[in-house]
């Protein structure tokens, strides 16, 4: 029993430490294209019922109060806050931003599909539309070598004008994926998200329809991290950590005092 | 040895339990909708022929402090904070109804509305489910509004209503899962007048300053009780010395 207060305070320190890590990651990604900030969710750990109110204290009397002690706190989950980031004009024809919900589809080297909102695409040596990492944006769109201008319509239709021809030719259409529970997508490196059992299967559709966002050409979505908000959270987290560490030193002093006095 | 040490030891154990309850409140100072534990120490007198000069002490958790926590805006349409003292109904692990103030909702892949603790949220007729691929929001009276993404021009339709219950008159107790239940069993009546604020969350009602004071108090009390034991030893040694003469 004597150590329990120390252990409970320790769970507080650990939870604040994890939260600080989430905040640090948000701040580190303040300049990452289309990054969505995470929020750490705390939950109480189980309670120990040492005595239930109403339990008999003798053959004739009952305890008027119970004794159920909490065992602390834990960061139960982190949730991605999916609010729209601001759209910044870049002027680059292959920079695409989503104005609304949805994700671009990207084929990873192993053939697996990943989803992203970061639309800083480029053209590969073969003329294909690829991400910065060189992964193909699905469905594959090949831009002819002699293309002079590429336009991407808000609904995802990609067309190109070639040298010597005045009329643009349609190259294909970028489809936007949506999910039943986008918060359930699993984040991986390089701005990519993966489908999970919790997110539900991807539903492909035209940009601008059924709640999917429009595609804005020549723009990039900025991260939705609000530096001021994160700094306030950081201070709050730091103070909470301090108070929990004070609790540890208080209990430690109690035990030391008992050791010395007795 | 004098019986005084047993009294003092029961006091030391009490201070430790108190410190542990304080530590738990402190650790949960940022848990959404958390309700702080309140506790009390009471003397336990052993009835008998002996003089009732010394009483053991026992600590009990009186219940939870049900006062409201601060409400902060989050902007998330699925976050709700409850105005007043109504409680939200959720489904506990064993399938029964339990109550909480935690209103950070999300929608699971199957369309069930769950709170941040992963507990399904109860509506007028059981756990609330919403159609997939819709925009869900929550009205001030707790109604769950759904707007089809295919037809954004249509007004949102209410599919269910959060079961907001009134704890007035029925004492509730916190269970080992941190959820509230009616003491002695039973369910709470629906509070028709309850209002919620969407896009906001209620914070824990733990007051950090008050907690720090309680912590120092418990610490000093423990020290004083430790001192009692050493005093008891001195008295005992004094008595033994007298005997030697």
């Amino acid at each position: 029993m004597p150590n329990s207060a120390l252990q409970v305070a320790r769970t507080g320190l650990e939870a604040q430490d994890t939260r600080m890590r989430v905040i640090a990651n948000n701040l580190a990604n303040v300049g990452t294209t289309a990054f969505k900030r995470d929020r750490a969710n705390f939950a109480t750990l189980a309670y120990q019922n040492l005595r239930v109110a109403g339990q008999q204290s003798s053959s004739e009397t009952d305890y008027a109060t119970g004794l159920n002690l909490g065992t602390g706190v834990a960061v139960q989950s982190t949730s991605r806050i999916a609010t729209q980031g601001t759209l910044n004009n870049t002027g680059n024809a292959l920079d695409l931003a989503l104005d609304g919900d949805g994700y671009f589809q990207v084929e990873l080297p192993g053939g697996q599909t990943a989803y992203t909102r970061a639309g800083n695409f480029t053209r590969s040596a073969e003329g294909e539309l690829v991400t910065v990492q060189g992964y193909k944006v699905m469905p594959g769109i090949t831009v002819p070598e002699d293309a002079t201008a590429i336009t991407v319509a808000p609904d995802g239709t990609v067309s190109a004008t070639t040298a010597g021809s005045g009329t643009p030719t349609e190259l294909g259409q970028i489809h936007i994926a949506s999910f039943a529970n986008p918060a359930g997508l699993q984040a991986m490196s390089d701005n990519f998200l993966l489908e999970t059992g919790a997110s539900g299967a991807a539903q492909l559709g035209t940009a601008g329809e059924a709640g999917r966002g429009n595609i804005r050409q020549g723009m990039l979505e900025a991260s939705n991290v609000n530096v001021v908000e994160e700094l306030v959270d950081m201070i709050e987290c730091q103070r909470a950590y301090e108070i929990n560490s004070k609790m540890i030193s208080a209990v430690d002093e109690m035990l030391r005092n008992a050791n010395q006095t007795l | 040895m004098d019986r005084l040490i047993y009294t003092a030891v029961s006091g030391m154990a009490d201070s430790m339990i108190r410190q542990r309850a304080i530590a738990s409140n402190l650790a949960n100072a940022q848990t959404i909708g958390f309700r702080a534990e309140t506790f009390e120490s009471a003397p336990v007198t052993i009835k008998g022929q002996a003089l009732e000069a010394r009483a053991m002490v026992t600590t009990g958790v009186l219940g939870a402090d049900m006062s409201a926590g601060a409400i902060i805006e989050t902007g998330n349409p699925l976050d709700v904070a409850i105005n007043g003292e109504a409680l939200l109904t959720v489904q506990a692990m064993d399938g029964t109804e339990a109550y909480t103030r935690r209103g950070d909702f999300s929608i699971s892949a199957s369309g069930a509305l769950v709170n941040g603790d992963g507990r399904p949220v109860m509506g007028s007729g059981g756990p609330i489910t919403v159609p997939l691929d819709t925009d869900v929001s929550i009205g001030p009276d707790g109604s769950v509004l759904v707007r089809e993404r295919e037809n954004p021009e249509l007004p949102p339709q209410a599919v269910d209503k959060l079961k907001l219950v009134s704890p007035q008159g029925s004492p509730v107790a916190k269970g080992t899962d941190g959820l509230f239940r009616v003491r002695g069993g039973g369910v709470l009546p629906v509070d028709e007048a309850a209002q919620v604020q969407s896009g906001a969350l209620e914070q824990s009602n733990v007051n950090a300053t008050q907690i720090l004071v309680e912590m120092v108090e418990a610490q000093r009390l423990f020290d004083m009780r430790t001192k009692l034991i050493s005093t008891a030893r001195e008295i005992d040694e004094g008595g033994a010395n007298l005997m030697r003469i």
Side-chain angles (χ1 to χ4, degrees):
Chain A
M1 180 67 73
N3 295 331
S4 305
L6 284 176
Q7 297 296 346
V8 172
R10 197 202 70 188
T11 66
L13 286 183
E14 276 174 7
Q16 295 302 340
D17 192 49
T18 311
R19 185 181 180 208
M20 196 57 116
R21 206 172 136 186
V22 172
I23 296 171
N25 186 53
N26 285 346
L27 280 173
N29 282 295
V30 70
T32 305
T33 306
F35 176 80
K36 300 292 175 210
R37 67 180 285 255
D38 287 312
R39 178 178 81 193
N41 296 320
F42 289 100
T44 50
L45 291 173
Y47 279 76
Q48 282 180 316
N49 249 339
L50 300 184
R51 188 172 72 223
V52 184
Q55 186 181 315
Q56 289 203 317
S57 54
S58 72
S59 60
E60 286 152 27
T61 52
D62 300 339
Y63 280 113
T65 57
L67 184 54
N68 43 347
L69 295 174
T71 52
V73 68
V75 172
Q76 188 186 41
S77 61
T78 56
S79 43
R80 209 174 18 257
I81 310 296
T83 52
Q84 173 82 44
T86 46
L87 300 186
N88 290 335
N89 219 324
T90 63
N92 184 346
L94 289 178
D95 278 346
L96 306 179
L98 273 170
D99 180 4
D101 293 340
Y103 300 88
F104 296 111
Q105 250 190 315
V106 174
E107 192 186 303
L108 296 183
Q112 203 183 3
T113 310
Y115 303 89
T116 185
R117 283 182 65 89
N120 44 348
F121 301 138
T122 53
R123 205 157 28 146
S124 71
E126 291 80 38
E128 278 182 322
L129 191 64
V130 293
T131 65
V132 183
Q133 295 80 15
Y135 305 159
K136 200 167 83 177
V137 178
M138 286 160 67
I141 286 166
T142 311
V143 183
E145 226 170 273
D146 54 350
T148 51
I150 302 162
T151 51
V152 182
D155 69 349
T157 313
V158 186
S159 28
T161 319
T162 47
S165 157
T167 50
T169 32
E170 201 178 308
L171 301 175
Q173 192 177 19
I174 297 172
H175 284 155
I176 300 301
S178 67
F179 294 89
N181 176 26
L185 289 167
Q186 186 203 329
M188 57 177 280
S189 55
D190 298 330
N191 288 335
F192 293 134
L193 298 164
L194 294 176
E195 190 179 301
T196 65
S199 68
Q203 282 148 339
L204 290 180
T206 311
E209 280 177 16
R212 293 179 183 87
N214 285 314
I215 295 177
R216 303 278 177 222
Q217 192 187 11
M219 287 186 172
L220 281 181
E221 185 184 357
S223 129
N224 70 349
V225 175
N226 178 339
V227 178
V228 180
E229 201 180 324
E230 297 298 330
L231 285 179
V232 170
D233 279 1
M234 193 172 91
I235 294 168
E236 195 181 74
C237 185
Q238 190 184 357
R239 293 287 170 250
Y241 191 91
E242 278 173 14
I243 299 176
N244 276 291
S245 62
K246 275 221 169 62
M247 173 56 87
I248 290 191
S249 62
V251 178
D252 180 38
E253 247 177 73
M254 281 160 69
L255 293 173
R256 189 171 43 213
N257 189 5
N259 266 331
Q260 284 171 352
T261 317
L262 301 184
Chain B
M1 188 53 110
D2 195 275
R3 292 280 182 274
L4 170 61
I5 63 158
Y6 295 108
T7 318
V9 163
S10 84
M12 284 170 75
D14 160 72
S15 290
M16 265 302 174
I17 288 177
R18 192 169 264 258
Q19 199 67 298
R20 192 176 148 194
I22 295 168
S24 166
N25 280 346
L26 190 53
N28 284 293
Q30 284 173 330
T31 305
I32 291 169
F34 179 77
R35 289 289 173 263
E37 257 86 40
T38 52
F39 31 84
E40 179 196 72
S41 303
V44 178
T45 334
I46 312 296
K47 302 282 178 203
Q49 289 174 339
L51 180 68
E52 285 176 20
R54 281 160 198 160
M56 303 293 213
V57 64
T58 172
T59 303
V61 172
L62 272 183
D65 171 12
M66 298 306 277
S67 64
I71 291 177
I72 55 156
E73 296 272 340
T74 61
N76 184 348
L78 285 176
D79 285 343
V80 292
I82 305 158
N83 297 330
E85 56 177 24
L87 296 169
L88 276 166
T89 312
V90 293
Q91 195 174 34
M93 279 292 195
D94 55 3
T96 58
E97 270 190 16
Y99 310 103
T100 181
R101 291 279 291 193
R102 184 164 190 162
D104 51 340
F105 299 153
S106 59
I107 292 156
S108 75
S110 59
L113 193 68
V114 293
N115 79 351
D117 216 9
R119 308 262 50 90
V121 181
M122 302 288 263
S124 39
I128 299 176
T129 49
V130 292
L132 295 174
D133 284 314
T134 51
D135 288 324
V136 183
S137 57
I138 291 163
D141 62 343
S143 48
V144 180
L145 305 168
V146 165
R147 197 178 63 181
E148 285 178 47
R149 285 189 192 152
E150 307 282 343
N151 302 305
E153 67 282 356
L154 290 178
Q157 299 290 316
V159 288
D160 210 332
K161 195 174 170 208
L162 299 176
K163 189 173 178 187
L164 294 162
V165 294
S166 163
Q168 252 173 4
S170 334
V172 288
K174 207 186 266 187
T176 46
D177 51 4
L179 298 171
F180 290 101
R181 286 178 183 78
V182 180
R183 213 168 255 177
V187 292
L188 291 174
V190 172
D191 185 352
E192 294 292 349
Q195 294 277 313
V196 300
Q197 188 180 342
S198 66
L201 282 178
E202 184 179 356
Q203 299 300 292
S204 159
N205 69 347
V206 173
N207 178 338
T209 331
Q210 192 194 331
I211 275 282
L212 277 176
V213 173
E214 283 176 9
M215 182 182 93
V216 174
E217 242 173 32
Q219 189 190 350
R220 295 293 166 237
L221 207 56
F222 181 88
D223 292 352
M224 275 158 68
R225 286 162 168 170
T226 316
K227 189 91 173 114
L228 266 181
I229 295 187
S230 75
T231 312
R233 183 172 59 191
E234 279 166 27
I235 295 170
D236 205 45
E237 278 170 1
N241 280 340
L242 275 178
M243 290 302 194
R244 233 170 266 143
I245 301 166

